[in-house]
Amino acid sequence: MRSASTEHPSSERPQRPDAPSGVARNTPLTALDRVPWGEIQDSTGSAAAIPLLLNGIAWGDADTARSALADLRKRICQFGFVVEQATAATVPFLWELAKLPQVTCRAQIIRLLKNIADARQWESTAAVYPKLLNRRENPVVWERAARQAVRARRGELGRLMADEDTEIARATTELARSLAT
């Protein structure tokens, strides 16, 4: 049985109800149903598939997790710099997954968070084409919200930089540099 850190069980994730007594096992992604995924958009249209992809990352084997993350990346941070309406809502779950030792693609998740933190595509476009700001659905607002969602959890950086996995520590250091600017 895989187990995750219980550093903040009461504030982050409840214990899994089917965990044997004496074994604390946290269940990731318990707040997924609090987001109206079907009412927000990703790059493909409805963001309704995002919970399935996040669960694939959390519970899948290495190939499944990597594939789910690649699909998620295309939906919320296309080309590594174009964020969508669903991006900000997805970011807290990415932070949660980046901390879980059983997740096989943690470094790649951290790199995705860095891409989101660095995203300025819509702001750059609006600087040249200000009419973009007059649209009913304003992607500049989505971009700013997504960057803020990454910054809001920057307190997690120290723990991830200290990770024994050098790839995770390196990716986290790069993310920390992005957030410092």
Side-chain angles (χ1 to χ4, degrees):
M1 174 178 274
R2 298 178 289 187
S3 64
S5 169
T6 59
E7 189 169 298
H8 304 290
S10 64
S11 65
E12 290 183 5
R13 298 173 301 274
Q15 285 190 1
R16 188 177 174 105
D18 62 345
S21 61
V23 177
R25 179 172 167 172
N26 292 325
T27 303
L29 308 176
T30 58
L32 276 175
D33 61 348
R34 294 184 194 151
V35 178
W37 298 106
E39 298 172 21
I40 58 178
Q41 301 290 307
D42 64 19
S43 67
T44 66
S46 171
I50 289 179
L52 181 63
L53 294 170
L54 289 167
N55 276 306
I57 295 165
W59 302 111
D61 59 30
D63 289 338
T64 301
R66 200 172 17 260
S67 176
L69 183 60
D71 193 6
L72 181 68
R73 175 183 285 279
K74 290 175 193 168
R75 289 170 175 265
I76 66 164
C77 191
Q78 203 169 27
F79 311 115
F81 57 86
V82 180
V83 301
E84 301 293 335
Q85 183 182 25
T87 306
T90 308
V91 165
F93 301 107
L94 292 172
W95 274 109
E96 184 178 354
L97 293 172
K99 297 185 314 181
L100 297 175
Q102 76 264 23
V103 173
T104 59
C105 53
R106 294 167 61 210
Q108 293 84 0
I109 292 169
I110 296 165
R111 286 188 192 102
L112 174 55
L113 288 167
K114 181 188 180 305
N115 290 147
I116 294 167
D118 291 342
R120 301 274 186 294
Q121 174 66 25
W122 294 117
E123 279 185 351
S124 299
T125 302
V128 176
Y129 186 68
K131 289 183 180 182
L132 181 66
L133 298 172
N134 297 329
R135 294 177 60 189
R136 186 173 66 85
E137 293 185 357
N138 187 336
V140 175
V141 172
W142 302 343
E143 191 173 71
R144 289 176 183 158
R147 286 196 316 261
Q148 179 53 39
V150 174
R151 283 178 174 70
R153 300 282 295 268
R154 65 183 171 266
E156 312 286 346
L157 291 170
R159 177 177 168 201
L160 289 168
M161 280 192 283
D163 198 282
E164 293 178 8
D165 184 321
T166 56
E167 187 180 9
I168 292 169
R170 188 176 317 116
T172 306
T173 300
E174 291 169 11
L175 173 58
R177 283 187 196 125
S178 284
L179 295 177
T181 58

